[in-house]
Amino acid sequence: MANIGNSSRSVSPVRFSPLLHSARFMVTSSAMDNLPHTGLPEIAFVGRSNAGKSTAINTLCQQRQLAFASKTPGRTQHINFFAVGPKDKPSGLLVDLPGYGYAAVAKTDKKRWQLFLAQYLAERGPLVGLILLADSRLGLTEIDLSLLQFMAPASVPLHVLLTKSDKLNRQEGQRAAQAARDQLAQHAQAVGMTAPISLQLFSATKHTGIEAASQLIESWLAEHQPLAAAPHDDTPDTAAPAEGQG
C-alpha cells in the first residue's frame, strides 16, 4: 500500500521558490504525437475544471498570467509546457493538463480526453511527478481517483493539493484532509499503486501550503536531472499558451 504522507501548513512569511518563479511558456500541444522531447523531467498538474489549477500554478510561480483559465471550462483540450531554471539549461518542465469532469462537455470529448490522460500518465517517460488539485470543500471524485489506476504501472509519485482551504475552518480542513487520505489509501491498494502519495491543504488566497508544495516540486526535479544535460534553447513558440480549465 502506498504511504500517504501529509505536508504541514506554511508559516509566515512565505518563502516562494526562485526556481518556480523562473517559469516561462515553452510550447502547447494537443496530442501525444506532438509532445515535446527535451530530455527534461516533467511535473504535471491535473484536476477537475474549477478546482483552482491555473490559480495554484500562478501562485506557486509568483506570476499572474502564466497559466490561463478558460472562460468556458472544459472546452479547450491543450497541454501547456513551461520551462523552469536557467534559460540556456532548464531544470525541468511544468505541464498544465486540461481540466476534466465539466458537465457541459460532450461525452465523446470527455472520453477522448480520458483516454489521452490515461496514455500520458502511463507512458510519458519524462513524467516524474503528478500534482492533483481538488477543491477541499468537495473532496476527491471517482474521476480523480481513477488517475491512480493510470499511474500505477509507471510508479509516478502523486501529491494532492486540496485547494481553496481558506473556505474551511481548521476542523473542517482536518476532516477534509483525512477523508481524502483514506480514499487515496483505499484506492491505491485496490489498483496496486506503490509509488509515494502525499497530500496537503492549499490556499492561493492565504498562501497556505505554498512552501511545502514548492519544496516537493523542487525535490522531484532535482532527483531526475540528466547526468550530462546539454544546453537547451527553450525559446517560446510564436503561439501563446492555450487557455486551461482550472
Side-chain angles (χ1 to χ4, degrees), residues 192-245:
M193 181 173 175
T194 57
I197 301 176
S198 51
L199 175 148
Q200 67 172 95
L201 295 172
F202 186 90
S203 169
T205 302
K206 299 294 185 180
H207 291 174
T208 303
I210 287 178
E211 289 184 38
S214 298
Q215 290 169 5
L216 181 63
I217 292 170
E218 289 179 341
S219 69
W220 280 349
L221 292 176
E223 290 171 6
H224 295 86
Q225 287 303 296
L227 294 178
H232 175 75
D233 183 7
D234 66 357
T235 302
D237 285 2
T238 55
E243 291 180 336
Q245 300 79 37

Side-chain angles (χ1 to χ4, degrees), residues 144-166:
D144 295 326
L145 294 170
S146 70
L147 300 181
L148 274 66
Q149 183 175 355
F150 302 153
M151 297 171 61
S155 297
V156 175
L158 170 69
H159 186 64
V160 178
L161 297 183
L162 295 178
T163 61
K164 307 179 185 182
S165 65
D166 56 289

Side-chain angles (χ1 to χ4, degrees), residues 34-45:
N34 64 5
L35 297 182
H37 298 280
T38 65
L40 297 171
E42 297 176 4
I43 295 176
F45 291 75

Side-chain angles (χ1 to χ4, degrees), residues 136 162 168 171-181 199 201:
S136 61
L162 295 178
L168 305 178
Q171 289 186 341
E172 290 171 337
Q174 291 175 342
R175 286 197 296 267
Q178 188 58 54
R181 195 175 296 113
L199 175 148
L201 295 172

Side-chain angles (χ1 to χ4, degrees), residues 48-60:
R48 285 176 58 85
S49 300
N50 296 329
K53 176 168 57 67
S54 296
T55 300
I57 293 173
N58 290 335
T59 301
L60 288 167

